[in-house]
């Protein structure tokens, strides 16, 4: 029997908005905790959208680069599907009015980013692609009558019965409510905020993953967290990003001795895969060599090419045309997430995931630069096509949800959160080892035992613990997961999958005692 209600999309970044627009005129309810365009990674994206549009480029070559970067874990067929859809997504956004940067002949200007063998990145407003695309989607979404926004409500949990998603539990300013539905599209973004150094906005705490796994969904490859090599090391939280496109345009990485250290590290030097560059910078930092990005020539010659970066630098007290910019790696993108098939369907009936919260297996162990916005767009279209085939009921109204409560001693939460984030950066950051990961899991179990259930922090501890366990149980180095005690990849590449039950069982096995139940 079908549930009552319609389609609910949780999250209003590129994945959520593109799904809603692709579904029109089918009605959808869109739940986003923050005002549109705020507090989501999409709007902050400085890179662009990878698409094989250049002369001599091809979808096959784009897919090959995606596969080569992904450490043996990229699904070939899906990578090819992604690459073949690049032009289609750019055309769609262009039809919606997204003003991509073009040359005098009207062709998109194609930039270069790490591990792409050719110039393949479509930008808008130089380094403002995310904001430009988001503004375009927001404008259309606001003018689309089939999209019903629920401002002021935050998704807390998924209500699932007999393996089927039936409702979303929401928290409003004063009460809780239940929104019945036939399908849920999770588009809640990433989890970089679980680490003390990150480029992600405050909302990127893995909440969607916690909702999905508590409801019984299967998560995959959580140990693969990509660190962006060049965050501007200002001490701010989050750290401002210095886009890879700068290195694509010739910016060099140098240290305090003036050495261009990437030349000795990799044949592609500054344009080596992201994990390679990030670890090289990390080593420079450990040795006290003060790694920095030299953008001086770019900003002297092309004053207006990177307006956002210029503003970020000036705000932080640097002149990118005169100063070397100190850099540090920062948590940037989660390759793992809710395991989905090629149509974006998760392991529960009626549950879909799109964008960073999903694991589509196109990024493998290490995402190729500027493939993430493309992935969100491609899967939004696939999800909409699948939902349109099934049809959906009429949207239901909010139902009261008495008896629910959520709470935490207000004073305690920021302290625990800061401890959690530092622990994750120190023990599950760019360079890991068994002792550090075990210690992290032990401390996280302590947090889980101390935190009231159904609090935001409990969700973050759960996701952090799942990252720690997945990482501990991968005795190899692969892509973004680098272990000092196992520096080589194993012969056979494998994915890791966990449900809440298998996580609890495996964590209990590692700890030698049950995983504390309360803080889930
Ligand atoms: C960047 O602009 O360097 C980031 C692009 C991305 O994360 O794909």
């Amino acid at each position: 029997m079908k549930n009552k209600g319609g389609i609910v999309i949780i999250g209003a970044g590129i994945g959520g908005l593109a799904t809603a627009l692709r579904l029109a005129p089918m009605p959808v309810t869109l739940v986003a905790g923050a005002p549109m365009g705020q507090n989501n990674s999409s709007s902050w994206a400085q890179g662009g959208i990878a698409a094989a549009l250049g002369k001599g480029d091809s979808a096959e070559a784009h897919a090959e680069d995606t596969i080569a970067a992904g450490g043996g874990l990229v699904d070939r067929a899906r990578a090819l599907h992604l690459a073949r859809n690049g032009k289609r997504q750019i055309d769609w956004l262009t039809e919606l009015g997204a003003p991509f940067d073009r040359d005098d002949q009207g062709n998109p200007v194609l930039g270069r980013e790490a591990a792409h063998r050719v110039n393949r990145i479509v930008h808008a407003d130089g380094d403002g692609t995310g904001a430009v695309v988001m503004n375009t989607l927001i404008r259309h979404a606001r003018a689309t009558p089939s999209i019903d926004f629920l401002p002021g409500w935050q998704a807390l949990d998924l209500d699932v019965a007999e393996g089927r998603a039936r409702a979303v539990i929401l928290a409003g300013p004063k009460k809780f409510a239940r929104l019945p539905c036939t399908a849920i599209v999770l588009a809640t973004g990433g989890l970089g905020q679980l680490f003390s150094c990150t480029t992600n906005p405050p909302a990127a705490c893995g909440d969607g993953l916690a909702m999905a796994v508590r409801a019984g969904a299967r998560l995959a490859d959580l140990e693969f967290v990509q660190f962006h090599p060049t965050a501007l090391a200002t001490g701010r939280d989050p750290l401002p990003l210095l886009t890879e496109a700068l290195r694509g345009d010739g910016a060099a990485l140098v240290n305090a001795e003036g050495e261009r250290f990437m030349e000795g590290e990799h044949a592609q030097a500054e344009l080596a895969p992201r994990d390679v560059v990030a670890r090289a910078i990390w080593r420079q930092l450990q040795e006290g060599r003060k790694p920095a990005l030299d953008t001086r020539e770019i900003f002297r010659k092309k004053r207006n090419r990177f307006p956002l970066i210029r503003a970020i630098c000036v705000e932080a007290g640097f002149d990118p045309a005169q100063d070397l910019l100190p850099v540090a790696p920062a948590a940037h993108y989660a390759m793992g997430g809710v395991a989905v098939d090629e149509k974006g369907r998760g392991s529960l009936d009626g549950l879909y995931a799109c964008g960073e919260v999903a694991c589509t297996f196109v990024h493998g162990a290490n995402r190729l630069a500027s493939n993430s916005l493309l992935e969100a767009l491609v899967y939004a279209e696939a999800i909409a096509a699948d939902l349109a085939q099934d049809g959906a009921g009429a949207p239901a109204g909010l139902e009261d949800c008495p008896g629910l409560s959520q709470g935490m001693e207000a004073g305690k939460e920021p302290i625990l959160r800061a401890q959690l984030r530092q622990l994750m950066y120190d023990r599950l950051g760019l360079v890991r080892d068994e002792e550090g990961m075990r210690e992290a899991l032990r401390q996280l179990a302590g947090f889980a035992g101390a935190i009231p259930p159904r609090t935001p922090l409990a969700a973050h501890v759960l996701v952090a613990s799942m990252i720690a366990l997945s990482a501990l149980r991968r005795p190899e180095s692969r892509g973004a997961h680098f272990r000092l005690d196992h520096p080589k990849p194993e012969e056979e590449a494998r994915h890791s999958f966990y449900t809440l039950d298998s996580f609890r069982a495996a964590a209990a096995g590692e700890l030698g005692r049950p995983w504390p139940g309360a803080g889930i």
Side-chain angles (χ1 to χ4, degrees), residues 212-491:
V213 79
R214 285 195 303 231
R218 206 161 69 127
L219 308 188
D221 291 349
L222 288 184
E223 61 273 41
F224 298 118
V225 178
Q226 185 170 70
F227 281 69
H228 197 288
T230 55
L232 182 61
T234 56
R236 292 188 187 187
D237 180 22
L239 291 176
L241 181 71
L242 298 176
T243 177
E244 215 157 70
L246 290 162
R247 280 175 280 135
D249 258 26
L253 282 164
V254 294
N255 59 23
E257 288 100 67
E259 182 197 359
R260 202 173 147 196
F261 55 88
M262 279 313 299
E263 284 184 328
E265 295 274 352
H266 195 277
Q268 286 171 281
E270 278 84 357
L271 293 179
R274 213 169 255 190
D275 60 310
V276 175
V277 182
R279 278 196 298 278
I281 291 177
W282 183 83
R283 278 195 299 276
Q284 294 283 322
L285 283 167
Q286 298 298 304
E287 292 162 11
R289 288 163 177 261
K290 302 195 169 108
L293 194 64
D294 185 349
T295 59
R296 291 175 295 185
E297 203 177 326
I298 296 180
F299 279 93
R300 282 175 196 158
K301 283 192 182 153
K302 306 177 186 175
R303 259 198 83 75
N304 299 322
R305 167 92 171 82
F306 296 101
L308 181 59
I309 301 280
R310 178 182 288 282
I312 284 171
C313 290
V314 169
E315 203 193 328
F318 297 99
D319 177 350
Q322 301 292 339
D323 302 323
L324 294 178
L325 307 174
V327 290
H332 183 62
Y333 188 87
M335 273 69 75
V338 178
V340 297
D341 68 10
E342 68 287 352
K343 293 179 175 166
R345 297 182 294 207
S347 61
L348 301 171
D349 277 353
L351 178 68
Y352 295 77
C354 184
E356 194 172 345
V357 70
C359 179
T360 63
F361 306 99
V362 299
H363 305 311
N366 190 29
R367 177 179 61 91
L368 187 68
S370 286
N371 265 355
S372 46
L373 299 186
L374 176 60
E375 182 214 41
L377 291 162
V378 169
Y379 278 80
E381 191 178 13
I383 289 170
D386 198 61
L387 283 168
Q389 242 181 15
D390 269 7
L398 291 174
E399 295 175 353
D400 271 353
C401 220
L404 259 190
S405 65
Q406 197 197 21
M408 162 124 248
E409 292 160 63
K412 236 179 169 185
E413 180 156 342
I415 299 167
L416 288 178
R417 185 180 307 283
Q419 287 172 354
L420 169 110
R421 296 180 68 202
Q422 196 60 52
L423 178 69
M424 292 299 285
Y425 191 73
D426 291 347
R427 304 298 202 178
L428 284 138
L430 262 176
V431 174
R432 303 166 172 177
D433 63 19
E434 166 144 7
E435 195 190 324
M437 291 187 287
R438 267 195 198 289
E439 173 59 19
L441 193 64
R442 201 184 59 70
Q443 287 196 35
L444 288 162
F447 287 147
I451 293 166
R454 295 289 188 265
T455 55
L457 191 55
H460 306 161
V461 169
L462 173 61
V463 177
S465 308
M466 294 188 74
I467 295 171
L469 180 84
S470 308
L472 180 61
R473 293 209 143 193
R474 183 175 284 280
E476 62 165 349
S477 290
R478 184 177 295 281
H481 173 69
F482 183 80
R483 286 183 63 151
L484 282 171
D485 51 350
H486 292 278
K488 297 242 154 50
E490 286 183 334
E491 217 161 276

